[in-house]
Amino acid sequence: MNTPAESVPSPAAISCRGVTKTYGHGNAAVQALRGVDLEVRAGELLMLVGPSGCGKTTLISVLAGLLQRDAGECSVLDRDYLQMARGETTRFRGQNIGFVFQSFDLIPALTAAENAATPLLISGMQWHAALEQARAVLRKVGFDDRMMRSLPAELSGGQQQRVAIARAMVHNPKMIVCDEPTSALDSESGRMVMELMRQFALGSDRVLVVVTHDARIFEFADRIARMEDGRVTRIEDPPSRGHEPEHHS
Ligand code: ADP
Ligand code: MG
């Protein structure tokens, strides 16, 4: 049969069914995820929104393999963390996943360029090649040579955030998860970063999941998933990009 290319659905890069996660035990137990169903296609930039405490950080931590789910099904890039051997998870993450945490987590003693290069250095790339690749990505987020040589403490919050974003992309991971990547950025830098992430996802088999409260960047999403009380309750289209806004009467 001759199927037009457009009708072939992209494979799901992320597929979750009934994912649960509880922190603590007994009276102190907090059920952070109460059965998350979510599919994200390869090539998609999904934004995750919802009130504080609804489980967004927990969910992306599970997707990134930093936290183990309690129950449910979850495949990420066709793999299931619960099926991986010890040590394999770390290697898989190192090769395939980039993270931007809310706290940035830069290493204080390393320059911006060295921080951005760490995923490459960890994977065994030569120092000079890794630094060169890191500098190229930092240039894309607006860094000049002096900023690249600065230590985190010498950079503003917004600049540190951009280093963390460069570090998440530098090794060309298949999946990037970001927690509030534009929270410390002014509108212009926020747009620059989101343009970069869109290009990174667009027409590729990469997948990006971006937690955000920042309505200014919703237009960069392919879809927006709303979370409430430990579940994904709605999937929405972003405010129109490149076509007329819909009018509701
Ligand atoms: P969000 O990112 O949407 O604000 P989180 O995933 O951080 O939500 O948290 C979901 C729930 O789990 C909240 O009630 C939060 O207090 C709780 N929680 C998050 N991390 C921990 C932890 N390490 N220990 C105990 N409870 C936690
Ligand atoms: Mg959070």
Side-chain angles (χ1 to χ4, degrees):
M1 209 174 82
N2 220 342
T3 315
E6 296 80 17
S7 72
V8 178
S10 306
I14 297 171
S15 178
C16 292
R17 280 256 153 249
V19 169
T20 61
K21 177 70 190 177
T22 299
Y23 295 104
H25 299 280
N27 284 341
V30 177
Q31 210 184 340
L33 302 180
R34 297 168 178 263
V36 170
D37 298 332
L38 182 67
E39 299 250 330
V40 193
R41 293 181 299 273
E44 191 170 28
L45 194 164
L46 181 93
M47 285 189 192
L48 198 56
V49 303
S52 179
C54 70
K56 305 181 296 295
T57 298
T58 304
L59 178 56
I60 63 167
S61 302
V62 168
L63 296 178
L66 298 168
L67 202 60
Q68 259 190 20
R69 68 187 188 272
D70 295 333
E73 302 293 316
C74 182
S75 95
V76 170
L77 308 174
D78 286 323
R79 299 296 306 275
D80 180 345
Y81 292 112
L82 299 187
Q83 306 293 322
M84 288 186 196
R86 266 178 84 84
E88 199 185 352
T89 311
T90 311
R91 197 164 56 243
F92 175 84
R93 276 202 314 258
Q95 284 169 357
N96 295 297
I97 300 177
F99 327 89
V100 182
F101 300 105
Q102 266 171 309
S103 53
F104 314 149
D105 287 324
L106 301 180
I107 299 170
L110 299 184
T111 66
E114 290 162 353
N115 263 290
T118 48
L120 301 173
L121 295 169
I122 289 168
S123 75
M125 189 183 274
Q126 294 296 313
W127 181 265
H128 284 289
L131 264 283
E132 220 20 74
Q133 200 164 317
R135 291 164 59 83
V137 183
L138 280 170
R139 241 169 257 130
K140 289 189 188 170
V141 295
F143 266 49
D144 62 25
D145 286 345
R146 187 185 53 78
M147 286 154 73
M148 291 187 205
R149 286 193 302 270
S150 300
L151 297 173
E154 299 164 339
L155 298 171
S156 71
Q159 290 167 341
Q160 291 180 41
Q161 192 160 35
R162 283 185 276 158
V163 176
I165 289 160
R167 180 183 56 189
M169 307 180 118
V170 75
H171 54 312
N172 270 313
K174 287 254 158 60
M175 176 168 101
I176 297 182
V177 298
C178 307
D179 216 346
E180 305 272 1
T182 61
S183 59
L185 301 179
D186 58 62
S187 293
E188 197 188 328
S189 316
R191 294 188 69 85
M192 176 165 65
V193 159
M194 290 313 301
E195 283 291 355
L196 189 62
M197 289 198 192
R198 265 217 69 72
Q199 282 172 23
F200 200 75
L202 204 68
S204 74
D205 57 355
R206 298 192 190 101
V207 61
L208 277 78
V209 179
V210 177
V211 170
T212 189
H213 284 111
D214 187 352
R216 297 173 305 180
I217 65 168
F218 286 169
E219 64 182 282
F220 292 95
D222 290 306
R223 292 184 305 156
I224 299 175
R226 291 209 174 264
M227 278 190 84
E228 285 170 67
D229 202 17
R231 290 192 186 87
V232 172
T233 51
R234 287 184 64 159
I235 301 281
E236 296 167 5
D237 288 327
S240 44
R241 204 177 44 220
H243 53 85
E244 286 298 302
E246 278 175 49
H247 293 285
H248 300 281
S249 47

